[in-house]
Amino acid sequence: MGVATLEKPAEAPAAQMPEQAEKLVIFAWSGELDKIWPTLILATTGAAMGKQTTVFFTFWGLFPLVKNDVRITGENWMQKMLSTMNRGGTGHLKLSKMNFAGAGKAMMMHLAAEHHVAGPQELMALAQEMGVKLVPCQMTMDLLGLKREDLIDGLAEPAGAATALADAQGAITLFI
Amino acid sequence: MGVATLEKPAEAPAAQMPEQAEKLVIFAWSGELDKIWPTLILATTGAAMGKQTTVFFTFWGLFPLVKNDVRITGENWMQKMLSTMNRGGTGHLKLSKMNFAGAGKAMMMHLAAEHHVAGPQELMALAQEMGVKLVPCQMTMDLLGLKREDLIDGLAEPAGAATALADAQGAITLFI
Amino acid sequence: MGVATLEKPAEAPAAQMPEQAEKLVIFAWSGELDKIWPTLILATTGAAMGKQTTVFFTFWGLFPLVKNDVRITGENWMQKMLSTMNRGGTGHLKLSKMNFAGAGKAMMMHLAAEHHVAGPQELMALAQEMGVKLVPCQMTMDLLGLKREDLIDGLAEPAGAATALADAQGAITLFI
């Protein structure tokens, strides 16, 4: 009987395989409304599905993290000019095309409200509540003259590309 | 004692591990010729390689799915205006840069024909034949006022971000 | 005999699982300074972390691979015009927005120098030194009239989408 048992396929190995956590890592490079929107929709959806979700904000993607009431950022005239031309904050986003000096954007926000689709400001708050890790890229913060106090509360510690890539191994990865 | 030990797992687990299907999931956000082209080239190549291939069309990426003979889409003036400025259909795509009111696009299509590279219309048909799952995003269809009958035949059921992310786990994932 | 077998440490399943190499595969579609920059920063960081790193340059992304002293590429007037409007080489890149006829770009390069961030030219050389595989896309080279001798030395053999997708399975994949 002992022998018979030996021939039985012992336990289902699946149960002993190391569980790979489901992960989603988004590299948010773009600062435009129509790019930050899918970033936040995917991030909140991923978190709702139980995926460990990280958004790494870099380059133009940092500007939506600026507090809405911060007008000008940067230490030297070049960084200041950049922030003047490209005002930060989820309340000041533009469409990447068909913005028409704000008319296209207004239309899009109107349509979203009509269809009960949350805007970027709500989605950013929702992402934080759901535990999405929002990481600003330290190197581009330095480059663009963005300081930690310019950015909204509730973000993870600023980090670099290596941290983002370490998170990304085995994850769904998207560069948006 | 023997019996107790028998309960320990023996067999080589590798042989019993579930095979992971090779998958490719593209999030097609852009509606421009020079973005839809790599999307469809990668999708058809992936399918030819035996990968389970899905393209999730969202936002501007929905417009190439509009039937070429549908002129205006949308229910309210805002959605109609959008479709007027940004005509749908694989026959009406523009380059994201150097379009020069269509001259750049004409040049590119000419070069493609000369080099026997299939255009987006052919590639879309080929993708369908090869079993690529073409999924329109329900939420952005609603937002932009695109109805199922505005879109070409042979698409999968419209779905949401959760469906796309569920497909994406373990796949090669690209946001184009 | 049964006992002998019992005493064998039942195989550690982990030891027999095929090791999955850590890989990073970037599809570099964009030719602009602010896109080629993150491409090369991520690629060199990935390589430094020991990841097997490949950058597959396609479409507009091929132009940064053109030698800086090559002025015009292409065989017919269309390809030549394209290269005139969109000069290749890491020394001639533009920002995707806020380029302001080169002023924005000059500002960005100045800020980078000030913050000791390497520019694209240095990063391209560094990537080669670190063993990043830089693969130009054969099909778009043909389409755009770029010949092997127009491109910098030290690249991998030109290849197609199938090669890129084969590399991409199991890798961190980004379309930039």
Side-chain angles (χ1 to χ4, degrees):
Chain A
M1 193 180 107
V3 174
T5 315
L6 280 172
E7 287 165 4
K8 268 200 202 146
E11 281 79 14
Q16 294 172 338
M17 276 165 58
E19 287 273 336
Q20 173 147 25
E22 300 211 336
K23 293 191 295 179
L24 168 62
V25 175
I26 299 177
F27 293 77
W29 174 91
S30 308
E32 272 119 1
L33 173 62
D34 42 356
K35 284 279 178 91
I36 210 69
W37 222 334
T39 295
L40 294 173
I41 288 173
L42 287 167
T44 49
T45 306
M49 292 168 80
K51 296 186 197 295
Q52 210 177 296
T53 303
T54 304
V55 186
F56 183 70
F57 293 88
T58 187
F59 227 90
W60 307 113
L62 283 169
F63 288 96
L65 295 183
V66 171
K67 287 173 188 152
N68 276 312
D69 58 352
V70 169
R71 186 65 196 89
I72 289 179
T73 54
E75 291 182 316
N76 56 44
W77 69 266
M78 286 184 286
Q79 293 168 338
K80 282 177 186 158
M81 195 176 114
L82 212 62
S83 74
T84 314
M85 310 292 303
N86 188 48
R87 183 166 180 184
T90 44
H92 309 108
L93 303 172
K94 296 173 187 169
L95 286 175
S96 69
K97 59 181 208 174
M98 311 215 180
N99 193 59
F100 303 123
K105 182 225 167 131
M107 254 174 58
M108 205 60 88
M109 296 305 294
H110 181 97
L111 290 172
E114 215 173 63
H115 292 278
H116 310 291
V117 173
Q121 228 160 329
E122 288 169 75
L123 286 169
M124 190 75 87
L126 189 61
Q128 290 187 322
E129 263 176 57
M130 297 176 83
V132 174
K133 223 170 86 188
L134 305 171
V135 187
C137 169
Q138 182 67 69
M139 195 192 79
T140 43
M141 280 175 68
D142 293 346
L143 194 70
L144 302 170
L146 294 168
K147 287 195 284 295
R148 185 59 195 85
E149 60 265 29
D150 295 327
L151 307 183
I152 56 172
D153 296 327
L155 303 177
E157 275 302 290
T163 307
L165 285 176
D167 268 358
Q169 197 70 48
I172 299 173
T173 50
L174 302 171
F175 187 97
I176 300 187
Chain B
M1 190 181 110
V3 173
T5 317
L6 284 172
E7 284 163 8
K8 272 198 199 146
E11 282 79 14
Q16 293 172 338
M17 275 166 56
E19 288 272 337
Q20 173 146 27
E22 300 211 337
K23 292 191 296 180
L24 168 63
V25 176
I26 300 177
F27 293 77
W29 175 90
S30 309
E32 272 119 359
L33 173 61
D34 42 355
K35 285 277 178 93
I36 210 69
W37 221 336
T39 296
L40 293 174
I41 288 172
L42 288 167
T44 49
T45 305
M49 292 168 80
K51 296 186 196 298
Q52 211 177 296
T53 304
T54 303
V55 186
F56 183 71
F57 293 87
T58 185
F59 227 88
W60 306 114
L62 283 170
F63 287 97
L65 295 183
V66 171
K67 287 173 188 152
N68 277 312
D69 57 352
V70 168
R71 186 68 196 88
I72 290 177
T73 54
E75 290 181 318
N76 55 46
W77 69 266
M78 287 184 286
Q79 294 168 337
K80 282 177 186 159
M81 196 175 112
L82 211 63
S83 74
T84 313
M85 309 294 301
N86 188 47
R87 183 167 181 183
T90 43
H92 309 108
L93 303 172
K94 296 173 188 169
L95 286 176
S96 70
K97 60 180 207 174
M98 311 216 180
N99 193 59
F100 302 122
K105 181 227 167 127
M107 252 174 57
M108 205 60 89
M109 296 305 293
H110 182 96
L111 290 172
E114 216 172 64
H115 291 279
H116 309 293
V117 173
Q121 229 161 327
E122 288 169 75
L123 286 169
M124 190 75 87
L126 188 62
Q128 291 187 322
E129 262 174 58
M130 295 176 82
V132 174
K133 226 170 84 188
L134 305 171
V135 187
C137 169
Q138 182 69 67
M139 195 192 78
T140 43
M141 280 176 67
D142 292 347
L143 195 70
L144 302 171
L146 294 168
K147 288 194 284 296
R148 185 59 193 87
E149 60 264 31
D150 294 328
L151 307 182
I152 55 171
D153 296 328
L155 303 177
E157 276 302 291
T163 307
L165 285 176
D167 268 358
Q169 197 70 48
I172 299 173
T173 50
L174 302 170
F175 187 96
I176 301 186
Chain C
M1 192 178 108
V3 173
T5 314
L6 286 171
E7 283 166 3
K8 269 197 200 148
E11 281 78 15
Q16 295 174 336
M17 275 167 57
E19 286 273 336
Q20 173 147 24
E22 300 212 337
K23 292 190 296 178
L24 168 62
V25 176
I26 300 177
F27 293 76
W29 174 91
S30 308
E32 272 119 0
L33 174 63
D34 43 355
K35 285 278 179 91
I36 210 71
W37 222 335
T39 296
L40 293 173
I41 288 172
L42 288 168
T44 49
T45 306
M49 294 168 79
K51 295 185 196 297
Q52 210 178 296
T53 304
T54 304
V55 186
F56 183 70
F57 292 88
T58 186
F59 226 90
W60 307 113
L62 284 170
F63 288 97
L65 295 183
V66 171
K67 287 173 189 151
N68 276 313
D69 57 352
V70 168
R71 187 66 197 89
I72 289 179
T73 53
E75 290 181 315
N76 57 45
W77 70 267
M78 288 183 286
Q79 294 168 337
K80 281 177 187 157
M81 196 175 114
L82 212 63
S83 75
T84 313
M85 309 294 301
N86 188 47
R87 181 165 181 184
T90 44
H92 309 107
L93 303 172
K94 296 173 187 170
L95 287 175
S96 70
K97 59 181 207 174
M98 311 216 179
N99 193 59
F100 301 123
K105 181 223 167 133
M107 254 175 58
M108 205 59 89
M109 295 305 293
H110 181 97
L111 290 172
E114 214 171 65
H115 292 278
H116 309 292
V117 173
Q121 229 161 326
E122 288 169 75
L123 286 169
M124 189 75 86
L126 189 61
Q128 290 186 323
E129 262 174 58
M130 297 177 81
V132 174
K133 224 170 87 188
L134 305 171
V135 187
C137 169
Q138 181 69 69
M139 195 193 79
T140 44
M141 280 176 66
D142 292 346
L143 195 71
L144 302 170
L146 293 169
K147 287 194 283 295
R148 184 61 193 84
E149 61 265 28
D150 295 327
L151 307 183
I152 55 172
D153 296 328
L155 304 177
E157 275 302 289
T163 307
L165 285 176
D167 268 357
Q169 197 70 47
I172 299 174
T173 50
L174 302 170
F175 187 97
I176 301 187

